[in-house]
Amino acid sequence: MSFGYQVLGFGSGVKAAVAPNVDILVVAGGGSGGSYYAGGAGAGGLVYKTTHALAAATQYDAVVGAGGAGQPNDGIGYTGVDSTWTLNGGSTEFTAKGGGGGGSSSNTDGGDGGSGGGAGRQGVSVGAATQGSQSGDSGTYGFGYAGGTGTLNPEYNSGGGGGAGSVGANAGTHSGNGGT
């Protein structure tokens, strides 16, 4: 079955004889949520560029970043790991930034990342999205949004983590939904 896409050199060591144009999608690892009244983690940053010209007879390296490790203590979640698309032995063409960790009850701020983490309970400082501020095509074709805020007494709800397509929702009488 063919879907109109062909994998060239990705993991196979094959080099394209001609310089093809391809669609590039690079997604980083998402963050982890905080613990104890925690905010949602931010999604990994996303880079999507259509019709990107590859160099003929050149290998490329793709590194896929892992998600943030779970937070065992009362603290902010961990940031996800960046993913990259690099010329073999050369410069990095695209970097997707790892998602920000979610805030907790004692460290209420959401963490910055490709998409920002949501604030923990009582948190008003959300994780900022850093994907769009990357240099070159990583920022130009990058997507990521901020997390949402938490609420104060009596609800003590947490904000949703940001997504590649929308911001994390602010908490109200319930915790905020994550972004899309």
Side-chain angles (χ1 to χ4, degrees), residues 60-172:
Y60 292 83
D61 297 323
V63 175
V64 180
Q71 173 54 271
N73 303 308
D74 182 16
I76 189 171
Y78 294 103
T79 302
V81 179
D82 295 351
S83 295
T84 58
W85 175 267
T86 306
L87 288 165
N88 184 263
S91 62
T92 299
E93 290 192 323
F94 300 100
T95 299
K97 301 299 289 178
S104 70
S105 66
S106 62
N107 299 296
T108 59
D109 296 347
D112 296 344
S115 295
R121 71 172 189 163
Q122 304 181 63
V124 294
S125 182
V126 301
T130 61
Q131 186 61 53
S133 64
Q134 299 306 302
S135 63
D137 284 350
S138 296
T140 302
Y141 299 99
F143 298 90
Y145 289 86
T149 62
T151 57
L152 302 172
N153 190 6
E155 288 90 12
Y156 293 116
N157 289 317
S158 303
S166 66
V167 298
N170 295 332

Side-chain angles (χ1 to χ4, degrees), residues 8-98:
L8 299 172
F10 184 76
S12 65
V14 175
K15 297 178 183 178
V18 296
N21 287 326
V22 298
D23 294 346
I24 297 286
L25 175 66
V26 182
V27 181
S32 67
S35 61
Y36 194 63
Y37 294 100
L46 182 145
V47 178
Y48 180 63
K49 181 179 180 187
T50 59
T51 320
H52 178 71
L54 297 181
T58 302
Q59 283 185 274
Y60 292 83
D61 297 323
V63 175
V64 180
Q71 173 54 271
N73 303 308
D74 182 16
I76 189 171
Y78 294 103
T79 302
V81 179
D82 295 351
S83 295
T84 58
W85 175 267
T86 306
L87 288 165
N88 184 263
S91 62
T92 299
E93 290 192 323
F94 300 100
T95 299
K97 301 299 289 178

